[in-house]
């Protein structure tokens, strides 16, 4: 779907009068909304119980020239910019496959940020993954080809960049694991960011072995696919600006390894690379909108398989940091991948701040379901900034504790630590494990996004499936904190 901005409302053509969408704040009068159709509009709104709540919509057909025109009332609640984003999503949810080919949303008089979020919400809600549907019934195919937003376009470009980042993250999560594996993840991301001015580094297994990344490589050892580390660096802040690192778990398929997962639902583990996908999407967004900040995105890419060569429960591996790890459960692989990525980025790029994202624990879904990502941090200021960016962007976060008592739970009898703790507090002990790889003076936050990468029902700006969670909060954090 194409988004266009216009300064004034285009006249409807008789052949194909575009659907006209009009925002309505909660409780606002509907008089004068559609010229000469007050009673009709009021009646339709009442019949559909439409009161202007954010995300709600009502339809009415009004006379127009020789024929009729479809008018969509879009609730924008109190009229804040987040409500406009939801309204844009609601428009597309209604019209995308409805037969309508064009829509005009009249947002004249609405502020530029709200207009931009409306357009972005619409664009984001229109994303679909039909690459492998060769027999899609006609009626399920999208019809809506253009949305014309009548209003101020001055804030739209950066929001369009985030939308592109979301699309990349969603595509990566949606791709099947026979197609997307470490090498093809790298290929696809490099193709997507080509020409944007990002500095790319790709490490293969031999290079990672030379660096001593035994924890990451231990996970990969049972797979026929070679592991990769992908780093993308954006230098938009100038030589003296501090560096922020984004680190993502990119397990392109997680069978659990020798500690194999049950068959039911295992196909979900194709999106166990959602953290790395969010990092790729955020880097694409930052580079596209030329963010005035220095940011490096690091993606640890492996496949976790059972095999004659797979690592065993009981194995001890040596991480790049030199710390040794007793692998109690080969299904707790994400932390093994991330710990070497954390050490690599600190040793090679010395960031002042690190935010990692990972579909790390099923326990996170037990705690927060599919509404919030879990936030863990060694730094209150960083945590507060991420919480604020989460609220503002729509990618909500909720903070959990880290303490020495939790840390003790992963002490090992044979090595420096083990990769799992006891049954309780599984998300926290996973975060404590990562914290052992954060060097002194570095502000670090870990986002456990296990419940957020995939949705089994439609959301305000996504259809069920890949959500792209993480891209928006990362982009917002960089905009407000690193560029602000
Ligand atoms: N990728 C999983 C976590 C996960 C589960 C993400 C479900 C999304 C949905 C992770 O690698 C894993 O298997 N974690 C284990 C850890 C346990 C062995 C300590 C888990 O959560 O069961
Ligand atoms: Mn696992
Ligand atoms: Zn996993």
């Amino acid at each position: 779907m194409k988004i266009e901005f216009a300064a004034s409302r285009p006249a409807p053509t008789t052949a194909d009068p575009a659907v006209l969408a009009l925002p309505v704040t909660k409780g606002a009068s509907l008089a004068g909304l559609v010229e000469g159709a007050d009673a009709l509009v009021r009646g339709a709104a009442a019949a559909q119980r439409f009161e202007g709540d954010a995300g709600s919509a009502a339809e009415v057909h009004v006379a127009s020239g020789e024929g009729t025109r479809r008018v969509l009332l879009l609730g924008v609640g109190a009229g804040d910019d987040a409500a406009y984003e939801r309204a844009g999503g609601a428009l597309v949810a209604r019209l995308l496959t409805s037969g309508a080919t064009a829509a005009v949303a009249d947002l004249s008089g609405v502020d530029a940020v709200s207009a931009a979020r409306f357009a972005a919400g619409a664009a984001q809600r229109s994303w679909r993954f039909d690459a492998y549907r060769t027999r899609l019934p006609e009626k399920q195919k999208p019809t809506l080809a253009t949305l014309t937003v009548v209003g101020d376009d001055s804030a739209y470009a950066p929001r369009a960049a985030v939308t592109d980042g979301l699309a990349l993250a969603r595509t990566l999560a949606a791709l099947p694991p026979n197609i997307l594996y470490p090498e093809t993840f790298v290929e696809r991301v490099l193709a997507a960011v080509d020409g944007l001015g990002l500095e790319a580094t790709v490490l293969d297994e031999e290079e990672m072995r030379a660096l001593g990344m035994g924890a990451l490589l231990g996970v990969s050892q049972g797979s026929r696919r070679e592991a990769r580390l992908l780093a993308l660096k954006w230098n938009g802040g100038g030589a003296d600006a501090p560096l922020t690192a984004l680190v993502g778990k990119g397990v392109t398929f997680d069978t659990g390894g020798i500690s194999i997962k049950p068959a039911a639902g295992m196909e979900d583990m194709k999106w166990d690379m959602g953290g790395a996908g969010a990092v790729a999407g955020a880097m694409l967004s930052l580079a596209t909108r030329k963010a005035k900040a220095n940011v490096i995105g690091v993606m640890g890419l492996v496949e976790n398989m059972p095999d004659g060569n797979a690592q065993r429960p009981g194995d001890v591996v040596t991480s790049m940091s030199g710390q040794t790890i007793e692998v109690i459960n080969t299904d707790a692989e994400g932390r093994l991948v991330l710990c070497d990525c954390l050490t690599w980025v600190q040793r090679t790029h010395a960031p002042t701040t690190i935010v990692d994202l990972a579909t790390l624990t099923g326990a996170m879904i037990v705690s927060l379901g599919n509404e919030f990502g879990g936030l863990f941090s060694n730094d209150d200021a960083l945590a507060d900034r991420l919480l604020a960016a989460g609220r503002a962007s729509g990618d909500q976060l909720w903070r959990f504790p880290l303490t020495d008592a939790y840390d003790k739970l992963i002490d090992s009898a044979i090595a420096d630590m083990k990769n799992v703790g006891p049954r309780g507090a599984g998300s926290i002990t996973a975060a404590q494990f990562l914290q052992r790889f954060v060097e002194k003076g570095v502000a670090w936050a870990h986002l456990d996004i296990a419940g957020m990468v995939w949705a089994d029902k439609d959301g305000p700006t996504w259809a069920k499936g890949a959500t792209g969670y993480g891209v928006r909060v990362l982009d917002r954090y960089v905009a407000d904190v690193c560029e602000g």
Side-chain angles (χ1 to χ4, degrees):
M1 188 189 71
K2 209 169 89 201
I3 305 260
E4 287 169 350
F5 275 80
S8 61
R9 215 192 265 188
T13 63
T14 359
D16 183 14
V19 177
L20 177 63
L22 302 168
V24 178
T25 48
K26 184 158 171 94
S29 154
L30 302 173
L33 217 50
V34 183
E35 225 183 278
D38 278 0
L40 194 60
V41 168
R42 218 179 308 116
Q48 293 166 64
R49 296 182 164 179
F50 175 82
E51 291 172 349
D53 291 298
S56 69
E59 270 189 58
V60 56
H61 289 255
V62 301
S64 166
E66 310 284 85
T68 62
R69 186 172 201 194
R70 195 166 166 188
V71 174
L72 194 58
L73 308 179
L74 294 172
V76 291
D80 53 294
D81 54 325
Y84 274 91
E85 183 175 278
R86 289 191 62 181
L91 176 147
V92 169
R94 282 245 170 177
L95 298 183
L96 189 64
T97 59
S98 70
T101 57
V104 173
D106 195 340
L107 269 58
S108 40
V110 172
D111 67 279
V113 171
S114 296
R117 287 197 73 171
F118 177 91
Q124 291 165 14
R125 184 63 182 77
S126 75
W127 182 87
R128 309 174 30 121
F129 188 76
D130 291 332
Y132 299 107
R133 295 168 165 281
T134 71
R135 300 287 189 276
L136 191 63
E138 246 354 92
K139 281 195 171 169
Q140 289 177 28
K141 288 186 183 160
T143 53
L144 190 66
T146 5
L147 169 63
T148 306
V149 178
V150 181
D152 187 342
D153 71 348
S154 60
Y156 185 56
R159 299 277 70 80
V162 175
T163 303
D164 290 347
L166 269 171
L168 175 61
R170 289 174 180 178
T171 301
L172 293 168
L175 281 164
N178 59 328
I179 305 295
L180 193 82
Y181 46 89
E183 285 170 80
T184 55
F185 183 108
V186 170
E187 281 169 19
R188 286 195 179 247
V189 171
L190 290 183
V193 303
D194 187 40
L196 293 179
L198 285 158
E199 219 172 80
T201 307
V202 183
L203 302 183
D204 63 19
E205 286 196 352
E206 205 180 298
E207 292 165 303
M208 290 192 270
R209 200 161 295 116
L211 288 164
M213 300 176 87
L216 184 153
L217 290 171
V219 176
S220 181
Q221 174 183 308
S223 172
R224 300 285 288 268
R225 306 295 190 191
E226 269 227 21
R228 290 288 184 269
L229 182 147
L230 170 63
L232 296 172
K233 188 154 185 279
W234 175 249
N235 305 306
D240 299 329
L243 178 66
T244 300
L246 311 176
V247 178
K249 168 181 172 181
V251 176
T252 58
F253 195 73
D254 179 14
T255 64
I258 296 301
S259 314
I260 198 163
K261 288 181 181 295
M266 200 200 276
E267 68 281 4
D268 280 351
M269 287 300 105
K270 74 171 181 180
W271 47 262
D272 206 19
M273 36 51 65
V279 170
M283 294 312 297
L284 178 123
S285 166
L286 296 174
T288 302
R289 66 176 185 77
K290 302 202 182 337
K292 292 185 177 52
N294 295 341
V295 183
I296 183 167
V298 180
M299 291 147 270
L301 306 166
V302 305
E303 184 181 61
N304 188 22
M305 298 290 273
D307 176 79
N309 193 44
Q311 75 177 344
R312 294 147 289 255
D315 281 4
V316 173
V317 295
T318 302
S319 66
M320 183 179 175
S321 73
Q323 299 179 90
T324 57
I325 304 158
E326 182 188 11
V327 179
I328 298 291
N329 188 319
T330 65
D331 197 11
E333 84 297 341
R335 63 201 78 181
L336 298 170
V337 173
L338 285 173
C339 71
D340 277 340
C341 294
L342 289 170
T343 301
W344 181 81
V345 77
Q346 291 171 102
R347 297 262 170 97
T348 57
H349 291 84
T352 58
T353 304
I354 303 177
V355 181
D356 79 67
L357 296 91
T359 48
L360 205 61
T361 64
M364 199 71 249
I365 308 175
V366 176
S367 304
L368 294 176
N370 314 104
E371 298 298 326
F372 286 76
L375 164 67
F376 305 79
S377 183
N378 65 358
D379 186 289
D380 291 342
L382 173 61
D384 287 343
R385 288 166 175 160
L386 283 165
L387 288 170
R391 275 190 297 270
S393 68
D395 283 349
Q396 299 205 92
L397 291 167
W398 195 265
R399 190 174 181 188
F400 283 74
L402 293 169
T403 69
D404 289 346
Y406 287 120
D407 182 73
K408 257 209 193 70
L409 299 176
I410 53 168
D411 283 342
S412 158
I414 185 175
D416 296 334
M417 69 194 87
K418 50 189 181 183
N419 76 330
V420 297
R423 253 178 69 84
S427 305
I428 301 175
T429 51
Q432 294 288 169
F433 180 99
L434 297 176
Q435 192 175 11
R436 290 191 180 203
F437 297 84
V438 177
E439 289 166 14
K440 234 182 116 210
V442 177
W444 157 80
H446 157 61
L447 313 187
D448 191 335
I449 63 172
M452 305 308 291
V453 168
W454 201 262
D456 52 23
K457 55 184 197 310
D458 294 350
T461 54
W462 58 87
K464 70 177 198 288
T467 63
Y469 182 93
V471 174
R472 297 186 303 173
V473 62
L474 290 176
D475 184 85
R476 187 72 187 224
Y477 170 81
V478 171
D480 289 353
V481 177
C482 310
E483 299 181 83

